[in-house]
Each structure stands twice: as C-alpha cells, then as structure tokens.
Amino acid sequence: MSVSEALAEVAAALDQTPPAGALDQLAAYADLVARWNRHANLTGAQTAAEFAGKFIADALAVAPHVRGPLVADLGSGNGVPGVVLAILEPTHQVFLIEARARRARFLEQVRIELGLANIVVVHDRIENWRPEILPDTVVCQAVGSLDFLLEVTAALHSDRCQLLALKGRAPATEIAALGAAAAACQVLRLAVPGWQERHLVVIDCGKLRSVMPVGGA
C-alpha cells in the first residue's frame, strides 16, 4: 500500500474528504521528511509511511478545528501540523514559526518543492514574532505547558484568535494551574488512528482577555 493510499484510509476513518491532489502532496511531504531526517533530526519516525501514519494522521484530526484565514504553527519543527493544514486548505495563509536554522531551511524546502504558495516560513523565536495582522488560529505541538504557551503568545491574542494545543493525556493539572484563564479553555478528545490517547486544548483568546487583567498572560 502506498503512503497516499494509507493516508486515504486515515482520512476515511476521520470522516474527512481531502481536496483533490492533497493526499499525493501529503505523501510527497512525508517523503521529504524521511529524506531530510538524518540531516535535520526531524522525527523519530524511520520511514515516510511511519511519519504519515502517525504524525500526518494527528494533523488531519486537528484540521477541522482550525479557523482561518491566517494560521500560525508555533515551533513548527518538521512542519506538523502547519504544512498539513496548508495542503488541506489552500485559501489559508500558514506561518511556520521555527527558531532552529536547520529546520527552518527544511520547511523552506518543503514550501518550494511542494509549491505551497500559502506558506510563509519565519525563522525566529515564538515570542519575537510580530505579524502585521494577528492570526485567527495559533496551533502548536510540544511547545510546553499551557501557562508557557499563554506567556509566549501574549502579543498574538485578539478577540477573534484561538489557541490550539495538542496534548496526549487530558492536561487537567496544566489547566488548573492557569487560574482564571482556565475558563477560556475547552478540552476535546481526538480519536486519531495510531494514537492511544490524544487531546486538543482550545483556548478562546477573546474570553481569555475578558478574564485576565491587562498585561496578564
């Protein structure tokens, strides 16, 4: 079974119908990850099929919860989920924020080789990024605790913005540590093929701004 055929099965399990050509692009992306992995240390997955079956599947499960048109993937690393989101929704502009030079070069190569004109690679630290227009969705995976996420994204919060944080187990302790900001959080359980347990924390920045003091994270 080809990688694109395997991804078609994952999409069907998630009750999704990717746009024409998207599965082939996703398979090509997985192949790029596999080819660059030894040089850029992108993932623990050993093959394109393994990367697609776990990490691209994870991003597919997140996609329905993303609101555009401006999306930021913080600490993008190997491009999950930002590259997948850009492929699935060409009308969204996706910013891939990555501080590590080698990985930023990889992301730029993905943009070029796959012809993804809706991707912008930003080689910078998360807390330093100041876009001209604030994003509608900020998504991150493995960036850190929720309180750290709120701190480093504080300049990006607007009433229309949402933060999406991918987690394994439901992060009850992290949410409790947020204090009043916990009221802005919603935890969704994701049924992702290949994962035993996956959760998505959705933080409504409009609600967050209403419960936090001026200058609060």
Side-chain angles (χ1 to χ4, degrees):
M1 181 185 296
S2 70
V3 174
S4 58
E5 289 171 337
L7 285 171
E9 289 191 357
V10 171
L14 293 170
D15 196 25
Q16 294 183 19
T17 305
L23 294 176
D24 288 340
Q25 275 194 306
L26 290 172
Y29 162 53
D31 183 63
L32 273 172
V33 171
R35 286 194 279 122
W36 274 68
N37 194 34
R38 181 176 297 180
H39 171 67
N41 191 27
L42 298 170
T43 177
Q46 299 302 305
T47 65
E50 184 182 354
F51 180 78
K54 188 165 189 179
F55 297 102
I56 293 181
D58 198 30
L60 285 170
V62 172
H65 304 282
V66 174
R67 183 170 65 228
L70 300 182
V71 179
D73 178 10
L74 303 187
S76 190
N78 57 29
V80 172
V83 171
V84 177
L85 300 177
I87 290 172
L88 293 177
E89 187 46 81
T91 64
H92 288 176
Q93 184 172 39
V94 181
F95 296 88
L96 307 180
I97 319 301
E98 177 52 54
R100 291 160 291 189
R102 191 173 295 178
R103 295 189 178 190
R105 286 196 296 272
F106 164 73
L107 295 172
E108 189 63 33
Q109 192 64 28
V110 169
R111 184 190 68 80
I112 293 169
E113 289 201 26
L114 298 186
L116 297 174
N118 61 328
I119 278 181
V120 178
V121 178
V122 180
H123 178 207
D124 206 344
R125 295 178 61 84
I126 296 167
E127 57 268 34
N128 294 337
W129 185 51
R130 297 293 184 272
E132 292 184 7
I133 302 175
L134 294 178
D136 301 286
T137 296
V138 175
V139 61
C140 66
Q141 176 177 289
V143 166
S145 63
L146 293 175
D147 59 349
F148 176 76
L149 174 63
L150 293 185
E151 179 183 348
V152 297
T153 62
L156 306 178
H157 299 172
S158 68
D159 287 344
R160 74 174 188 280
C161 181
Q162 62 173 354
L163 307 181
L164 303 182
L166 280 156
K167 298 286 183 178
R169 295 180 178 178
T173 302
E174 289 184 35
I175 290 177
L178 296 179
C185 299
Q186 179 185 14
V187 181
L188 305 176
R189 185 181 179 93
L190 301 178
V192 188
W195 290 87
Q196 183 175 0
E197 193 170 5
R198 210 65 173 134
H199 289 84
L200 182 68
V201 181
V202 182
I203 303 176
D204 183 330
C205 291
K207 184 177 292 185
L208 180 69
R209 285 155 58 89
S210 72
V211 298
M212 295 297 292
V214 175

